[in-house]
Amino acid sequence: MNRIVATVVACVLAVPALAAGDAEKGEKGFNKCKSCHMIETPTGETIVKGGKTGPNLYGVVGRAAGSAEGFKYGDSLMAAGEKGLVWDEETFVAFTMDPAGFLKTYLDDTAAKSKMTFKLKKDNEDVFAYLQSVAAE
């Protein structure tokens, strides 16, 4: 019986938590992001054709900050990733609301900067849910 309970608990813990937002609304909200960001699978399938000013956001959920291959990140975001910043719903929402402010707080460095100047003022949870949903396909 203990083995069954342990197996069930292990399975539940292995399943990633679903975002609180609405992925369908987030798909529409991502329109604000696609001027700088694309979503493209590792095999080259384009989910959302977008800009290349920002990194590809495919698989961003659960990824260490500043770690997508092929993109040149700013020093502060790289430092945050090295310090352990991983994109989950809480960190994504806080960062997208105020990228520079988030990095200053996270790094405890008033000189921290972000290349991302756009602030997503609403629907952040929905955009996160959308990004989570496309990477799960």
Side-chain angles (χ1 to χ4, degrees):
M1 183 67 159
N2 286 341
R3 285 169 120 181
I4 294 170
V5 171
T7 302
V8 170
V9 169
C11 289
V12 169
L13 293 176
V15 175
L18 294 177
D22 181 328
E24 193 171 306
K25 287 169 75 176
E27 182 175 8
K28 292 176 187 137
F30 190 79
N31 286 331
K32 298 172 191 167
C33 309
K34 72 180 184 179
S35 61
C36 296
H37 297 278
M38 69 173 117
I39 303 175
E40 186 176 286
T41 68
T43 60
E45 177 191 349
T46 299
I47 296 171
V48 175
K49 185 176 180 178
K52 295 184 180 180
T53 305
N56 176 9
L57 294 182
Y58 183 85
V60 70
V61 176
R63 184 167 68 203
S67 67
E69 289 189 34
F71 187 79
K72 183 163 174 34
Y73 290 94
D75 293 339
S76 296
L77 194 60
M78 294 286 291
E82 290 167 7
K83 186 178 175 183
L85 177 61
V86 173
W87 297 120
D88 59 18
E89 186 171 14
E90 181 181 350
T91 57
F92 178 87
V93 167
F95 177 79
T96 56
M97 289 182 82
D98 182 5
F102 175 86
L103 290 172
K104 287 176 184 184
T105 300
Y106 187 84
L107 295 171
D108 193 23
D109 178 1
T110 58
K113 297 178 184 176
S114 175
K115 286 183 169 183
M116 184 170 146
T117 57
F118 180 77
K119 295 178 180 180
L120 188 59
K121 296 291 186 180
K122 62 180 185 169
D123 303 323
N124 310 58
E125 294 90 353
D126 297 334
V127 172
F128 182 84
Y130 172 63
L131 291 170
Q132 187 176 41
S133 75
V134 296
E137 293 178 345

